[in-house]
Amino acid sequence: MTDIFREVEEDVRRERFEKLWKQYGDYVIALAALLVIGAAGYQLWRYYEARERAKASDEYTAAQQLIDAHQSAAAAAAFAQLAKDAPGGYAEVSELQHADALLAAGKKDEAVALYKKIAGGNDELLAAVARIRTAWTIVETTPRLELETLLAPLTDPTSPWRPMAREILAYSDYHMGATKEALAAYASLAADKDAPMGVRQRSDAMATFLRGGGDNDYGTLPKAPAQPAAHH
């Protein structure tokens, strides 16, 4: 009897399965096909992305070599193209390099405009670098207040960029003739253990220079007296 009941139960299950398959079988096949296509597409996308990154890496290296060879205009064009076409981080870093190449090529206004664009972007690291480079580029032609505004995000006491921003402002004071303020700023930076070694060394040199009166205007040298004509 047990065998009979088992056979009947299996027949019922088979009948239900066939009914369900007729009703939903096409959907199951379609779903399975989508899963297979999706997996294949993902692998294809990963291959494409790896290939594009490798290509961008080669092109970035080639553009960098143009910079090293002092072919700034050609490098600027190469980095500009990478900034448009390269994937992810390569595009963002290439945009910064594009600005550097423009500056090296003598196109200061274009470089500053691009630096400022990057400074307003979402990448905090690149934005900070762009602010520093903008400030150094315009420090001798820009009022200190404008520099303070540009560097404001970097002068917070918690910012790792603060010493570099302070060095630019100290140079601005020096360039504008505010020697006392410049000396105080450079001396403070030279003693700042949190500042990078390069900043401390440059600041110490400037403080020593200013303490020694190196900024004084001693006027112009008198003209050399006219030499008497030679007699033959």
Side-chain angles (χ1 to χ4, degrees), residues 2-57:
T2 302
D3 293 339
I4 294 175
F5 284 126
R6 184 179 296 112
E7 290 177 6
V8 171
E9 184 177 354
E10 289 177 355
D11 288 342
V12 170
R13 287 179 179 175
R14 188 179 300 108
E15 184 178 348
R16 287 177 177 174
F17 176 77
E18 290 175 353
K19 183 177 180 181
L20 287 172
W21 182 257
K22 288 179 181 178
Q23 188 173 358
Y24 299 108
D26 291 344
Y27 296 103
V28 173
I29 293 172
L31 178 59
L34 285 175
L35 290 174
V36 171
I37 293 171
Y42 176 69
Q43 292 299 325
L44 182 62
W45 174 79
R46 288 186 61 185
Y47 168 77
Y48 173 80
E49 185 181 54
R51 187 186 67 180
E52 289 300 300
R53 287 186 179 279
K55 178 183 175 184
S57 176

Side-chain angles (χ1 to χ4, degrees), residues 208-226:
T208 300
F209 169 75
L210 293 174
R211 287 193 190 100
D215 63 309
N216 291 338
D217 183 358
Y218 294 100
T220 57
L221 292 173
K223 293 182 179 179

Side-chain angles (χ1 to χ4, degrees), residues 133-155:
R133 293 186 180 175
T134 302
W136 272 124
T137 302
I138 65 176
V139 65
E140 294 188 351
T141 57
T142 303
R144 193 183 196 280
L145 185 59
E146 187 175 330
L147 290 171
E148 289 177 357
T149 301
L150 173 65
L151 295 170
L154 311 182
T155 53

Side-chain angles (χ1 to χ4, degrees), residues 152-177:
L154 311 182
T155 53
D156 185 276
T158 61
S159 173
W161 300 93
R162 188 167 186 258
M164 284 167 272
R166 289 175 60 205
E167 182 184 18
I168 296 170
L169 295 175
Y171 180 81
S172 175
D173 287 334
Y174 163 71
H175 182 73
M176 298 301 293

Side-chain angles (χ1 to χ4, degrees), residues 35-199:
L35 290 174
V36 171
I37 293 171
Y42 176 69
Q43 292 299 325
L44 182 62
W45 174 79
R46 288 186 61 185
Y47 168 77
Y48 173 80
E49 185 181 54
R51 187 186 67 180
E52 289 300 300
R53 287 186 179 279
K55 178 183 175 184
S57 176
D58 292 341
E59 291 176 351
Y60 184 92
T61 299
Q64 188 62 53
Q65 289 172 346
L66 291 172
I67 285 281
D68 296 339
H70 306 292
Q71 299 181 40
S72 303
F79 280 123
Q81 193 63 45
L82 274 169
K84 292 179 181 178
D85 301 337
Y90 277 107
E92 295 171 350
V93 174
S94 293
E95 191 170 40
L96 185 64
Q97 291 283 51
H98 178 203
D100 290 345
L102 286 171
L103 187 62
K107 298 180 179 181
K108 178 180 175 180
D109 292 343
E110 291 181 43
V112 169
L114 189 50
Y115 281 140
K116 288 183 176 181
K117 176 191 171 187
I118 299 167
N122 296 323
D123 189 302
E124 293 184 5
L125 176 60
L126 292 180
V129 173
R131 286 181 188 278
I132 292 292
R133 293 186 180 175
T134 302
W136 272 124
T137 302
I138 65 176
V139 65
E140 294 188 351
T141 57
T142 303
R144 193 183 196 280
L145 185 59
E146 187 175 330
L147 290 171
E148 289 177 357
T149 301
L150 173 65
L151 295 170
L154 311 182
T155 53
D156 185 276
T158 61
S159 173
W161 300 93
R162 188 167 186 258
M164 284 167 272
R166 289 175 60 205
E167 182 184 18
I168 296 170
L169 295 175
Y171 180 81
S172 175
D173 287 334
Y174 163 71
H175 182 73
M176 298 301 293
T179 305
K180 183 178 179 181
E181 291 80 359
L183 175 56
Y186 279 125
S188 175
L189 276 169
D192 186 353
K193 294 181 180 180
D194 293 329
M197 180 62 71
V199 172

